[in-house]
């Protein structure tokens, strides 16, 4: 534990701006002298007490609720004081300064000199202390930030499940199975005369298979949780006047982008966050892909390609009413070839044929495997939404998903790779048991990274620095 983790900390724990209530939070070892200085009395544990908050001269700063959470029964595992005052920014800043002043004024002769080190907390430091004091594990800590940042109800509910420990329980179940299997292999190494017969009698292969099956289930749920957290970036691309802006407006249910019959109306990207079945989608409307007629449009086209290359999915929009136009067909083919060249192989492209309300039956029949829609009437939009979720890998019902991050998915993938190597060793005619043991050990390390049992300090700093101050 770093030296700064022993310092008492204080911060405003509510969002900036005015509100009905604002909270100043203090956490540290035995903060009763600060409580006495500000509240003028001791506080009953975990009971809200209405009283005046006083400055160094005894003048009232504000009146509100004070709650003392003695260690270890607090959010951070340390002594915690919460001062709930009126939510004006000036009042909260005065209370914050008063806490620092009260700590600095404590007489070192009282044996509580550490309180003079009270400082303003860094982003996420309260939650970091909860993790360091074993109140929560790292996956739960991350879920707290994810709950705050959730952009859909489904994402919020999934984050709440992870925060309550559902994801951690799944990981710990895997760890228990893995550790038991490691014990068998290590015992075989310690007593080589038992050799492989010992592992066969203990059904090591069966245990490993069941472990892999459980891992597959956890990976599937974590992958879905990562989609919920990160959202899906969907870029609408195509020639000018194909109806890209109209499609964005139709998906968003609002007039966000300017729509005119003039080709090249959209010069820069327009982004909107929407949700489909609780899954957040960042939909990006881009400039029409063609040879630019002026410098401004050229920049817009370059930005369009940049957005396309970073997309999770691309909607390649075609105009059904132009399907038989020779020049239009040639330009569509040029764009299609460029997409194939510039897009990562894993990025799906959905062919969308717009203006079905204006197209002839013959034109609709030629649309091929794409989805025919009308951005104007809404026809086909539901099929498009369902196809989008399918191509990006969304499968699970919302109630079965817990919130996860890309680092969690990556760790689980590393575990899977190690277990595949271990399985190959077990199935070989002459297993190298020392290599098998190392594969299982590495799998355990990767798995433990999720909950923070084996996590480097620099990763912890990166994770908690993304929290808001006071949390």
């Amino acid at each position: 534990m770093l030296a700064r983790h022993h310092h008492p900390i204080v911060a405003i724990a509510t969002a900036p701006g005015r509100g009905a209530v604002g909270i100043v939070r203090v956490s540290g070892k035995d903060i009763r002298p600060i409580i006495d200085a500000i509240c003028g009395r001791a506080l009953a544990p975990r009971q809200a007490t209405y009283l005046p908050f006083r400055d160094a001269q005894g003048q009232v700063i504000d009146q509100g609720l004070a709650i003392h959470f003695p260690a270890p029964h607090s959010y951070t595992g340390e002594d915690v004081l919460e001062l709930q005052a009126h939510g004006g920014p000036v009042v909260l800043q005065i209370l914050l300064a008063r806490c620092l002043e009260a700590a600095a004024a404590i007489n070192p002769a009282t044996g509580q000199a550490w309180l003079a080190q009270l400082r303003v907390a860094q982003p996420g430091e309260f939650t970091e202390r909860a993790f360091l004091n074993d109140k929560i594990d790292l996956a739960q800590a991350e879920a707290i930030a994810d709950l705050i940042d959730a952009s859909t109800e489904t994402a919020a509910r999934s984050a709440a499940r992870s925060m309550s420990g559902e994801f951690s329980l799944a990981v710990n179940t895997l760890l228990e199975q893995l550790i038991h299997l490691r014990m068998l292999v290590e015992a075989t190494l310690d007593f080589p005369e038992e050799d492989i017969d010992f592992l066969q009698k203990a059904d090591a292969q069966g245990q490993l298979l069941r472990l892999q099956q459980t891992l597959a289930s956890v990976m599937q749920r974590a992958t879905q949780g990562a989609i919920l957290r990160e959202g899906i970036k969907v870029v609408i691309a195509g020639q000018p006047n194909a109806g890209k802006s109209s499609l964005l407006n139709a998906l968003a249910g609002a007039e966000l982008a300017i729509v005119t019959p003039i080709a090249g109306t959209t010069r820069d990207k327009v982004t909107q966050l929407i949700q489909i079945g609780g899954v957040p989608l960042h939909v990006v409307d881009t400039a029409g892909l063609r040879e630019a007629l002026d410098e401004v449009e050229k920049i817009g086209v370059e930005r369009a390609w940049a957005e396309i290359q970073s997309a999770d999915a691309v909607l390649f929009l075609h105009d059904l009413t132009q399907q038989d136009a020779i020049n239009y067909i040639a330009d569509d083919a040029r764009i299609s070839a460029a997409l194939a060249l510039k897009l990562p192989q894993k990025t799906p492209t959905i062919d969308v044929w717009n203006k079905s309300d204006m197209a002839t039956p013959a034109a609709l029949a030629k649309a091929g495997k794409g989805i025919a829609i009308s951005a104007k009437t809404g026809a086909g939009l539901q099929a498009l939404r369902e196809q989008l979720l399918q191509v990006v890998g969304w499968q699970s019902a919302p109630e079965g998903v817990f919130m996860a991050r890309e680092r969690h998915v990556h760790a689980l993938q590393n575990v899977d790779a190690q277990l595949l190597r271990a399985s190959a060793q077990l199935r070989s005619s002459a297993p190298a048991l020392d290599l098998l043991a190392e594969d299982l050990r590495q799998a355990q390390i990767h798995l433990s990274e999720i909950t923070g049992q084996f996590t480097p300090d620099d990763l912890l700093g990166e994770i908690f620095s993304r929290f808001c101050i006071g949390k």
Side-chain angles (χ1 to χ4, degrees):
M1 188 178 291
L2 300 177
R4 68 179 181 85
H5 295 140
H6 297 286
H7 297 166
I9 54 175
V10 60
I12 298 172
T14 41
R18 291 177 173 83
V21 176
I23 298 174
V24 173
R25 178 183 290 165
V26 184
S27 179
K29 175 187 174 184
D30 191 7
I31 58 174
R32 286 175 295 178
I34 298 177
I35 296 173
D36 293 340
I38 297 174
C39 301
R41 52 173 288 189
L43 299 175
R46 292 173 294 281
Q47 291 185 20
T49 304
Y50 181 71
L51 44 70
F53 307 137
R54 299 187 181 276
D55 63 18
Q57 288 72 44
Q59 299 297 312
V60 175
I61 299 171
D62 192 7
Q63 295 196 69
L65 296 177
I67 311 175
H68 178 209
F69 300 91
H73 305 295
S74 69
Y75 177 68
T76 63
E78 302 173 330
D79 268 10
V80 170
L81 170 66
E82 284 197 357
L83 302 174
Q84 301 184 10
H86 292 93
V90 174
V91 172
L92 296 178
Q93 286 293 339
I94 293 173
L95 274 178
L96 178 67
R98 174 62 181 132
C99 290
L100 294 167
E101 178 189 39
I106 292 173
N107 188 346
T110 62
Q112 295 171 314
W114 67 85
L115 286 177
Q117 295 179 309
L118 179 70
R119 58 175 174 79
V120 177
Q122 298 177 8
E125 196 166 2
F126 287 92
T127 303
E128 182 182 25
R129 294 200 175 187
F131 164 70
L132 294 173
N133 292 325
D134 296 323
K135 302 297 289 186
I136 53 176
D137 64 33
L138 191 56
Q140 289 174 295
E142 291 170 301
I144 293 169
D146 294 337
L147 180 61
I148 294 170
D149 293 336
S151 57
T152 69
E153 181 181 349
T154 304
R157 291 185 182 277
S158 298
R161 278 192 288 274
S162 289
M163 187 177 67
S164 67
E166 187 172 328
F167 183 27
S168 302
L169 178 61
V171 171
N172 288 329
T173 299
L174 282 169
L175 273 172
E176 290 175 5
Q177 297 176 18
L178 182 54
I179 291 170
H180 185 266
L181 185 57
R182 278 195 67 195
M183 288 170 54
L184 290 176
V185 175
E186 297 289 348
T188 306
L189 287 172
D190 290 339
F191 302 98
E193 64 275 6
E194 298 289 345
D195 204 32
I196 194 63
D197 291 339
F198 179 72
L199 293 179
Q200 290 175 342
K201 292 176 183 177
D203 190 26
Q205 184 69 57
Q207 289 190 42
L208 180 54
L209 178 60
R210 289 188 290 275
L211 179 60
Q212 288 175 298
Q213 291 171 340
T214 305
L215 174 64
S217 175
V218 175
M219 284 181 64
Q220 193 268 342
R221 297 174 69 189
T223 301
Q224 305 307 292
I227 291 174
L228 273 182
R229 180 184 182 274
E230 305 293 340
I232 303 163
K233 182 179 179 180
V234 179
V235 176
I236 307 173
Q239 295 189 52
N241 258 7
K244 298 183 296 298
S245 297
S246 297
L247 178 55
L248 171 64
N249 292 343
L251 289 172
E255 295 296 321
L256 303 172
I258 299 172
V259 177
T260 75
I262 303 171
T265 297
T266 301
R267 296 297 185 98
D268 202 356
K269 67 177 182 178
V270 179
T271 304
Q272 177 64 21
L273 176 64
I274 67 171
Q275 62 169 302
I276 298 177
V279 179
L281 271 72
H282 306 275
V283 184
V284 184
D285 175 27
T286 58
L289 302 177
R290 68 173 180 181
E291 291 296 327
L293 301 179
D294 56 54
E295 189 63 26
V296 175
E297 187 178 6
K298 181 181 179 181
I299 295 172
V301 172
E302 290 174 350
R303 290 182 178 180
W305 278 113
E307 293 295 327
I308 289 168
Q309 289 174 291
S310 63
D312 296 312
V314 174
L315 300 182
F316 185 8
L317 200 61
H318 311 273
D319 186 344
L320 275 170
T321 65
Q322 298 288 322
Q323 196 178 34
D324 295 325
I326 295 176
N327 290 341
Y328 190 87
I329 294 172
D331 288 341
D332 253 13
R334 175 180 54 81
I335 294 172
S336 182
L339 286 172
L341 182 65
K342 295 183 178 183
L343 273 181
Q345 191 172 6
K346 66 177 183 177
T347 305
T349 300
I350 302 175
D351 287 299
V352 182
W353 297 86
N354 191 25
K355 305 183 184 180
S356 62
D357 56 308
M358 301 169 60
T360 64
L364 286 170
K366 292 180 182 178
K369 296 181 180 179
I371 297 177
I373 69 160
S374 170
K376 182 178 180 180
T377 67
L381 288 183
Q382 184 56 34
L384 176 59
R385 294 185 181 102
E386 293 172 359
Q387 179 74 0
L388 261 176
L389 293 183
Q390 181 181 340
V391 298
V392 297
W394 178 255
Q395 301 168 355
S396 296
E399 63 272 9
V401 176
F402 38 62
M403 188 64 77
R405 298 188 173 200
E406 283 299 325
R407 81 167 191 90
H408 302 150
V409 176
H410 183 64
L412 292 171
Q413 289 170 342
N414 286 336
V415 175
D416 186 48
Q418 295 293 159
L419 294 186
L420 283 173
R421 283 194 281 270
S423 180
Q425 283 291 347
L426 269 180
R427 289 197 306 270
S428 66
S429 56
L433 297 184
D434 54 341
L435 295 180
L436 173 61
E438 179 61 17
D439 287 334
L440 295 178
R441 189 183 75 85
Q442 289 294 330
Q444 182 180 347
I445 290 174
H446 289 306
L447 200 53
S448 298
E449 289 173 357
I450 295 175
T451 53
Q453 296 177 38
F454 296 106
T455 306
D457 287 338
D458 56 348
L459 177 59
L460 292 180
E462 171 68 18
I463 289 171
F464 288 107
S465 68
R466 296 179 181 272
F467 281 62
C468 53
I469 294 176
K471 192 57 183 172

